[in-house]
Amino acid sequence: MMLSLLRRMWGERVAYAFMAPFLLCFAAFILLPVFMAILMSFTSYDAFRSPHLIGFKNYAALLTQDTIFMKYALPNTIKFAFFVGPIGYLLTFFLAWLIYQLPKSVRDIVTLAMYAPSMAGGVALVVVWQAAFSGDYVGYLNSFLMRMDWIQTPVLWLQDPKYLLNVMILVTIWMSFGVGFLAMLAGFDTVNRELYEAGRIDGIANRLQEVFYITVPSMKPQMLFSAVMAIVGTLKAGAISVQLTGLPITKQYAGHLMLNHIDDYAFIRFELGYASMLSVVLLLFSYAAMRLSYRLFGPKEGD
C-alpha cells in the first residue's frame, strides 16, 4: 500500500511541487505548534529549566484544583461563546437577510456601513467603545442616560463586574460583521429564484418558510464558512477584556475567559506546561464546535 501511495505521489509530483510551499508553511506554523503544545501539556515547564514529564497531572489539576477555571473562566467562556457564537451568528444572518431585501443601490451603501468597522484595527475600535462606556459624566452612554434622567450618577461600565462581560459580548458582536457577514450576503445571490416560485406552488405561504425550506438549504457553503469564521472570531476575542479595561486580569475575574486564563499561566505565572494543557483543551472545544458546524451545514449524501 505504501509503495502504491509513493508511486501515485511520484506520478503527481508536479501538483505536489506547487502545493509544497503551502504544505511546508502549514506544517511549520500549524501542525508543529499543535504537536509541541500536546507534548508540553504532559510536562511541568517554566521556560527556565528543562521540561519535566508529569503525565496527566496538569489535566487532573484542571478538574480538581483550578478553582479559577471552574468558577470563572469556564462559565464566562460558555456564556460569552453562547451569545457571540450562535446568537451573534443568527443576528448576522438576520441582518444580512434584511439588507438583501433593500434595493441594490441602497443595499451597497448599508453593506459598506456594516462592514467598514471590521476593516479598522481592533485597538482602534476598542478606543471608540472605551469612550462610549467611559465611567465618567462625558462617557457617551452615561451622558445619554443622564440626559434622559434614567440614571442619576455615572455607571462604571468597564470597572463594575456586573456589567463587564455583557459589554464584552456587545462589543464583540458589533465587531463580528466581517467576512462571514459578506459571505452570507453574497450567498443570497446564489439561490435560484425559480425555487421560490416552485415553493409557492408547493404550499409555502410566508417569507419565514421560504428562508427555512429554500434559502438556508441553498446557501449551506456560505453558512458553513460564516459559522467557521464565527467560531474563530469567538475564540480569539478573549483579548477584548484586556483592551477594554487595560488589565491582564479583570476585577473579580468578571471578564476572565479561557484565552485570558492561558495568558495568565503562560506570560504571568510562566507555567508553560499548564498553559499548553489549557490550549489543548481550548483546541478540543473548538474542534467540537467545528464538527457541529459541519454536521449542520456540511454537504450530506445526495446533495
Side-chain angles (χ1 to χ4, degrees):
M1 181 177 295
M2 181 62 67
L3 185 61
S4 62
L5 177 61
L6 291 175
R7 189 179 296 113
R8 192 181 315 119
M9 291 177 63
W10 177 253
E12 299 172 356
R13 58 187 179 277
V14 177
Y16 282 104
F18 280 104
M19 292 170 57
F22 167 78
L23 293 176
L24 290 174
C25 292
F26 180 77
F29 298 108
I30 303 296
L31 293 182
L32 183 60
V34 169
F35 179 71
M36 293 299 297
I38 294 173
L39 288 181
M40 287 181 60
S41 69
F42 297 103
T43 67
S44 175
Y45 182 44
D46 60 4
F48 297 100
R49 292 169 294 183
S50 299
H52 175 63
L53 187 64
I54 59 174
F56 287 92
K57 288 185 179 180
N58 284 332
Y59 292 91
L62 178 69
L63 299 176
T64 59
Q65 300 177 25
D66 195 341
T67 56
I68 294 175
F69 176 82
M70 289 298 180
K71 190 175 180 180
Y72 300 105
L74 186 59
N76 288 347
T77 301
I78 291 174
K79 179 180 177 179
F80 184 85
F82 174 75
F83 283 99
V84 175
I87 293 183
Y89 180 78
L90 293 175
L91 180 62
T92 301
F93 177 84
F94 178 68
L95 288 178
W97 180 79
L98 285 180
I99 292 173
Y100 191 77
Q101 311 308 311
L102 299 173
K104 187 163 189 338
S105 57
V106 179
R107 186 195 316 162
D108 294 340
I109 297 174
V110 176
T111 300
L112 179 61
M114 295 294 296
Y115 178 70
S118 68
M119 295 187 292
V123 176
L125 292 177
V126 168
V127 170
V128 175
W129 285 105
Q130 284 178 333
F133 289 102
S134 178
D136 51 24
Y137 289 90
V138 297
Y140 299 151
L141 183 57
N142 278 335
S143 177
F144 172 76
L145 294 177
M146 293 179 70
R147 246 192 341 260
M148 301 296 293
D149 286 330
W150 291 342
I151 61 174
Q152 302 303 317
T153 59
V155 178
L156 300 175
W157 301 104
L158 300 179
Q159 288 76 33
D160 195 328
K162 292 189 301 183
Y163 304 113
L164 179 58
L165 186 59
N166 295 327
V167 172
M168 290 167 53
I169 291 171
L170 175 64
V171 172
T172 306
I173 289 178
W174 186 80
M175 293 170 60
S176 65
F177 293 103
V179 178
F181 167 73
L182 291 183
M184 283 193 182
L185 199 57
F188 291 112
D189 277 328
T190 66
V191 182
N192 189 346
R193 302 291 105 185
E194 296 178 357
L195 293 177
Y196 293 114
E197 299 177 6
R200 295 188 190 97
I201 296 174
D202 289 339
I204 290 180
N206 54 58
R207 303 297 295 274
L208 182 61
Q209 290 180 331
E210 283 185 353
V211 170
F212 187 78
Y213 291 108
I214 297 176
T215 305
V216 172
S218 299
M219 50 182 291
K220 278 190 174 182
Q222 291 81 11
M223 300 285 288
L224 176 60
F225 175 78
S226 298
V228 172
M229 295 302 296
I231 293 170
V232 173
T234 302
L235 293 178
K236 72 177 184 180
I240 191 69
S241 64
V242 181
Q243 294 170 345
L244 286 173
T245 64
L247 301 173
I249 304 298
T250 53
K251 185 178 179 181
Q252 298 181 20
Y253 296 97
H256 201 66
L257 304 179
M258 283 190 65
L259 196 60
N260 304 113
H261 206 52
I262 294 171
D263 290 342
D264 180 17
Y265 275 91
F267 304 117
I268 298 178
R269 309 188 192 202
F270 286 97
E271 297 182 25
L272 300 183
Y274 196 85
S276 298
M277 178 274 301
L278 291 170
S279 300
V280 172
V281 172
L282 184 60
L283 177 65
L284 294 176
F285 284 162
S286 62
Y287 177 76
M290 294 285 187
R291 292 301 304 171
L292 178 61
S293 299
Y294 274 96
R295 183 174 292 273
L296 290 174
F297 303 113
K300 307 290 192 302
E301 286 189 22
D303 285 358

